[in-house]
Amino acid sequence: MPEPRILTAGDSALTVEFGNEISEEINGKVLALDRALRQSGLKGITETIPTYRSLLICYDPCAIRCSSLKRKVSRLANNLGSAASGAGRIVEIPVCYGGEFGEDLPDVAAHAGMAEDDVVRIHSSKDYLIYMLGFLPGFAYLGGMDSRIATPRLKTPRVKIPAGSVAIGGEQTGIYPIASPGGWRLIGSTPVKPYDPNREDPILYRAGDRIRFVPVPREEYLRIHSLSEKGEYQCVVREGGSSDGN
């Protein structure tokens, strides 16, 4: 892997690039640097934002000079050692698939040439790595979806997709954390809130975690939804994980 590139991003931010592709190895380096910076106690850093292949480091130029920050970041970035990305948490997200909760599941199944139950089984059999968060508050860019259930986006996006919708777009899958327009195929819905501004920690997960979708029947969906609306439901969170769920 090439040495990281440290680039100036305006007058109060740096970007550290680790490569030019989407891979767990590169993303592992990004997340490892993010952890190293938080653990270093380096003064002047105001925010860090991990992406697929780079880390944006925002800083207060009145607290630390750009040249000094570059030197310190360079030392950390070049001494990360092994940066396995499988060390994050696994967050279990309950999902009711199909029917009123996933109107496009029949289309996904038809495109894949398999039964709807097989689509659900395949979709819920992986621990999906969260490479980054973006687009919407709490929207997780997930890696690792089985290509057998990849389905093209809708030709005409919907004007409004309900919050909690679980969908497939091309070779990606994800959760719409709030109601928004979108062109992905809806295969289910989760009764929990991936993003809730009223929670102490508004987003359920973070970059480097993994998501495991857990099928639930309609009755369980409604029960969890009721608890979630009252702030009384907590997702199961486990430590460690691998991309194949084993």
Side-chain angles (χ1 to χ4, degrees):
M1 185 180 295
E3 289 189 2
R5 299 174 63 210
I6 302 178
L7 308 173
T8 301
D11 60 1
S12 59
L14 298 175
T15 296
V16 185
E17 295 183 345
F18 286 91
N20 197 31
E21 61 184 85
I22 297 175
S23 78
E24 288 200 23
E25 183 182 8
I26 288 175
N27 190 248
K29 293 287 187 182
V30 172
L31 299 174
L33 178 58
D34 190 29
R35 289 192 297 270
L37 282 169
R38 284 188 271 111
Q39 293 167 1
S40 71
L42 189 59
K43 304 296 183 183
I45 294 178
T46 58
E47 185 178 15
T48 57
I49 303 173
T51 71
Y52 281 113
R53 64 185 186 92
S54 65
L55 182 69
L56 180 67
I57 304 169
C58 302
Y59 66 94
D60 179 358
C62 295
I64 186 169
R65 296 178 65 87
C66 180
S67 57
S68 176
L69 180 60
K70 279 186 175 181
R71 287 194 300 272
K72 293 175 180 179
V73 168
S74 179
R75 282 198 296 270
L76 288 173
N78 284 287
N79 291 279
L80 294 174
S82 177
S85 60
R89 307 174 305 165
I90 299 173
V91 182
E92 295 187 0
I93 302 294
V95 179
C96 188
Y97 287 91
E100 63 190 286
F101 301 108
E103 59 186 280
D104 297 325
L105 180 59
D107 294 335
V108 173
H111 183 269
M114 61 180 66
E116 293 179 27
D117 286 348
D118 290 329
V119 173
V120 173
R121 176 182 55 79
I122 292 170
H123 187 263
S124 60
S125 67
K126 306 280 285 185
D127 293 333
Y128 297 92
L129 173 64
I130 301 176
Y131 279 98
M132 58 180 282
L133 301 174
F135 170 54
L136 295 169
F139 185 90
Y141 286 84
L142 305 178
M145 192 184 78
D146 195 307
S147 61
R148 289 177 293 172
I149 57 174
T151 309
R153 293 167 172 81
L154 296 171
K155 291 182 178 180
T156 302
R158 293 182 171 93
V159 175
K160 185 177 181 180
I161 289 178
S165 294
V166 176
I168 288 175
E171 295 190 0
Q172 292 182 290
T173 187
I175 311 167
Y176 284 87
I178 60 176
S180 70
W184 290 21
R185 308 274 181 164
L186 309 184
I187 62 170
S189 178
T190 179
V192 302
K193 296 179 180 180
Y195 171 73
D196 184 352
N198 297 314
R199 278 196 305 254
E200 181 178 353
D201 193 352
I203 300 175
L204 282 178
Y205 33 69
R206 52 183 178 258
D209 287 343
R210 294 176 187 268
I211 286 179
R212 166 67 70 122
F213 296 109
V214 179
V216 297
R218 186 176 189 277
E219 295 74 16
E220 180 66 1
Y221 173 98
L222 295 176
R223 185 188 73 84
I224 295 174
H225 183 271
S226 177
L227 293 174
S228 181
E229 287 296 308
K230 294 182 288 187
E232 298 176 359
Y233 182 82
Q234 291 187 336
C235 291
V236 174
V237 178
R238 297 181 281 120
E239 295 298 326
S242 61
S243 60
D244 61 2
N246 295 326

